[in-house]
């Protein structure tokens, strides 16, 4: 009881400090958000967008949103966060999530041949006699072997289901054998939509509407643009001969699974927050729409990585692969992140997720193929550089904390044998006690005595880095634990750092 009371007292005494910290964090974030306005004002000016809206999702909500321009030039109605835009290929992630949900329900495996779910694929003429049959996952990862079909695919949004069946039965030509490389295919995602239709027993748009959009509260979102009230619909335009020219309305139809969804910023933020909520992995109740582990699968590619070469002071080369309706990147500026653009006649959009920071940025514009990704990435870089959204570090496991104490004791004693049982059996085989103790003596000569280890910066529950403050600097300790029970230290690196 005394322990509980002491803990409650400590919480009470620390509450004002936490409140001040929260206030300071909110002010820092507000300052970071304000730096985004000029970026998107430049987007509107440089790309001649009639209207646009952008938003930042943080802490599970739409933390910042700004709209500018008009949703249609005839009425001059201003864009608002409730204006509905076409998001084109950003629709692909909704199709992928629907496929994953049906997989979770036991309807099929991701490794199932597509022809077992879509009979029209049974007659495909494969490019080589040793070509593997296309699997469900190949469609989601754009590894089906079909040719890149932008912009042809954009003009197929109104294709009827009957015409789509005929197209599949015609055995479209292959660009390469399946499962050889990633090649972007709108046709492939239209087939994924047919998988949703056949496995669920209802049209893909109805299934996604009932099982993803409605539970998320995305009431304004639809695959049928005719259902959007005129006062809320962003009309699509192109910039031709120094004037805006209205684009024809496309869809709805069979190709909507690859690019037919229309959403508002208010609605879309709910989806973005839901996707982000899948990170980090954790205990506790799971989600009734789609479990967190399944949502995290959208960043799993088919191991066809590429390097995107970039130049400039605020960027660097990026490793890239295609997940499931998301393009997955890692680079020196943003770290791990995933993103997707959307482009149609009349519209351009992009979203970028930073799961380790719990934030995402998105933008919609009613201008043909407006390159929103350039400005969304710039905005994400601005948020990262602001320091207001640090990467979330997993808490150190008790095994790592124990390892830090063991290393501190070994350093203090100058003898690895003083805590021999803390180390895995390979440690003294990799380097014997005499050499390890000699290394300890050299470190002690540089740093002197050291204090208790600081909190661990974890990479995982089994590896990380800690520091020990010393008389003449600090001792950096990098640790990897072994897969033993209990975990023991299989590898450590001790480094002297001057003040």
């Amino acid at each position: 009881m005394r322990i509980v009371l002491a803990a409650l007292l400590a919480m009470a005494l620390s509450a004002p400090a936490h409140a001040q910290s929260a206030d300071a964090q909110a002010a820092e974030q507000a300052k970071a958000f304000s730096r985004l306005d000029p970026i998107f004002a430049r987007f509107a000016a440089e790309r001649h967008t009639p209207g646009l809206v952008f938003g930042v999702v943080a802490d599970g909500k739409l933390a910042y949103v700004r709209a500018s321009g008009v949703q249609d030039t005839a009425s001059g109605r201003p864009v608002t966060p409730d204006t509905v835009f076409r998001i084109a290929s950003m629709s692909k992630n909704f199709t992928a999530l629907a496929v994953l949900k049906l997989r979770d329900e036991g309807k099929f495996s991701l490794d199932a041949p597509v022809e077992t779910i879509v009979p029209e694929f049974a007659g495909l003429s494969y490019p080589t006699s040793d070509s593997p049959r296309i699997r469900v996952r190949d469609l989601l990862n754009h590894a089906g072997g079909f040719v890149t079909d932008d912009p042809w695919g954009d003009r197929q949004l109104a294709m009827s289901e009957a015409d789509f069946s005929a197209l599949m039965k015609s055995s479209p030509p292959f660009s390469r054998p399946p499962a050889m490389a990633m090649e972007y295919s709108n046709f492939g995602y239209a087939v994924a939509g047919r998988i949703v239709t056949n496995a669920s027993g209802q049209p893909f748009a109805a299934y996604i509407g009932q099982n993803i959009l409605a539970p998320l509260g995305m009431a304004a979102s639809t695959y049928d643009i005719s259902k959007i009230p005129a006062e809320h619909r962003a009309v699509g335009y192109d910039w031709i001969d120094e004037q805006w020219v209205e684009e024809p309305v496309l869809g709805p139809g069979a190709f909507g699974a690859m690019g037919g969804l229309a959403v508002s910023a208010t609605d879309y933020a709910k989806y973005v927050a839901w996707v982000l909520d899948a990170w980090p992995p954790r205990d506790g109740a799971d989600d009734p729409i789609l479990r967190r582990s399944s949502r995290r699968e959208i960043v799993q590619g088919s191991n066809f990585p590429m390097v995107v070469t970039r130049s400039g002071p605020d960027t660097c080369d990026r490793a890239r692969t295609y997940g499931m309706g998301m393009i997955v990147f890692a680079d020196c500026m943003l770290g791990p992140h995933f993103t997707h653009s959307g482009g149609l006649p009349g519209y351009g959009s992009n979203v970028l997720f930073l799961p380790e920071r719990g934030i995402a940025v998105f933008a919609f514009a009613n201008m043909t193929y407006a390159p929103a990704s350039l400005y969304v990435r710039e905005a994400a870089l601005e948020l990262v550089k602001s320091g207001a959204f640090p990467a979330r570090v997993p808490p150190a496991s008790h095994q790592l904390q124990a390892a830090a104490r063991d290393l501190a004791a070994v350093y203090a004693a100058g003898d690895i044998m003083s805590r021999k049982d803390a180390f895995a059996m390979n440690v003294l085989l990799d380097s014997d006690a005499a050499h390890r103790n000699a290394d300890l003596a050299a470190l002690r000569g540089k740093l002197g005595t050291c204090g208790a280890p600081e909190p661990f910066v974890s990479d995982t529950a089994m590896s990380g880095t800690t520091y020990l403050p010393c008389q003449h600097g600090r001792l950096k300790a990098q640790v990897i634990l072994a897969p033993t029970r209990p975990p023991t230290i299989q590898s450590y690196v001790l480094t002297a750092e001057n003040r």
Side-chain angles (χ1 to χ4, degrees), residues 3 60 153-154 158 214 287 295 297 330 352 378 398 405 407 425 435 447 492:
I3 293 173
D154 296 343
D287 188 87
R295 277 175 275 161
E297 284 186 64
L352 190 153
E378 185 179 347
H398 68 273
R405 293 191 295 271
L407 285 174
M425 54 80 64
H435 286 89
L447 296 173
Y492 69 90

Side-chain angles (χ1 to χ4, degrees), residues 155 235-238 240 245-250 344-347 368:
R155 299 291 182 176
V235 175
Y237 296 91
D238 200 355
I240 301 174
V245 177
E246 185 174 339
E247 291 276 15
V249 175
L250 302 173
L344 280 174
Y347 302 93
T368 295

Side-chain angles (χ1 to χ4, degrees), residues 130-411:
D130 64 354
S131 293
R133 291 303 191 251
I134 298 172
R135 303 167 298 173
V136 174
R137 73 169 65 250
D138 294 326
L139 298 180
L140 300 186
N141 294 150
H142 289 303
F146 300 116
V147 66
T148 296
D149 53 2
D150 283 337
W152 173 86
D154 296 343
R155 299 291 182 176
Q156 311 308 313
L157 280 175
M159 183 181 290
S160 70
E161 293 294 342
D163 286 345
F164 184 46
S165 291
L167 175 62
M168 288 188 285
K169 287 180 179 178
S170 73
S171 191
F174 281 82
S175 177
R176 68 184 87 227
M180 290 293 293
M182 178 266 165
E183 186 167 358
Y184 195 85
S185 173
N186 291 304
F187 170 73
Y189 258 81
V191 178
R194 180 62 68 87
I195 288 174
V196 173
T197 295
N198 289 357
S200 69
Q202 60 185 136
F204 74 87
Y207 180 82
I208 293 171
Q210 292 176 17
N211 291 276
I212 298 177
L213 302 182
L216 288 175
M218 298 175 66
S221 302
T222 180
Y223 285 86
D224 187 351
I225 199 167
S226 68
K227 294 181 178 179
I228 304 168
E231 61 269 23
H232 293 301
R233 181 165 66 90
V235 175
Y237 296 91
D238 200 355
W239 182 251
I240 301 174
D241 296 331
E242 302 299 312
Q243 61 181 337
W244 286 311
V245 177
E246 185 174 339
E247 291 276 15
V249 175
L250 302 173
F255 267 64
M258 73 84 188
L261 188 59
V263 303
S264 68
T266 303
D267 263 14
Y268 191 71
K270 298 172 184 176
Y271 149 81
V272 171
W274 174 68
V275 171
L276 280 174
D277 183 61
W279 282 266
R282 59 195 182 274
D283 294 327
D286 216 325
D287 188 87
I289 303 173
L290 185 64
R291 62 192 185 194
R292 291 189 294 270
S293 61
S294 295
R295 277 175 275 161
R296 292 193 296 269
E297 284 186 64
I298 64 176
V299 301
Q300 295 180 14
S302 290
N303 296 315
F304 301 120
M306 294 169 278
V307 175
V308 180
T309 302
R310 302 178 66 94
S311 60
D314 287 334
T315 190
C316 52
D317 291 353
R318 295 193 284 170
R320 166 184 166 169
T321 190
Y322 197 94
M324 300 178 183
M326 284 291 170
I327 305 170
V328 187
F329 287 102
D331 66 31
C332 66
M333 301 296 295
L334 292 178
H337 58 286
F338 55 97
T339 181
H340 211 288
S341 291
L344 280 174
Y347 302 93
S349 54
N350 183 257
V351 64
L352 190 153
F353 292 83
L354 293 162
E356 292 190 350
R357 298 175 187 272
I359 60 172
V361 185
F362 65 87
F364 313 145
N366 55 342
M367 170 56 62
T368 295
Y369 301 128
S373 62
L374 301 177
Y375 303 89
V376 167
R377 177 175 169 81
E378 185 179 347
L381 284 167
E382 191 66 45
L383 294 179
V384 169
K385 289 189 294 184
S386 75
F389 302 94
R392 296 176 296 194
V393 178
S397 63
H398 68 273
Q399 294 96 332
L400 279 177
Q401 296 171 18
R405 293 191 295 271
D406 288 328
L407 285 174
V410 165
Y411 179 87

Side-chain angles (χ1 to χ4, degrees), residues 406-429:
D406 288 328
L407 285 174
V410 165
Y411 179 87
D415 183 6
I416 191 171
M417 301 303 290
S418 65
R419 292 290 179 98
K420 181 182 178 182
D421 291 344
F423 297 90
M425 54 80 64
N426 66 285
V427 170
L428 292 178
L429 294 174

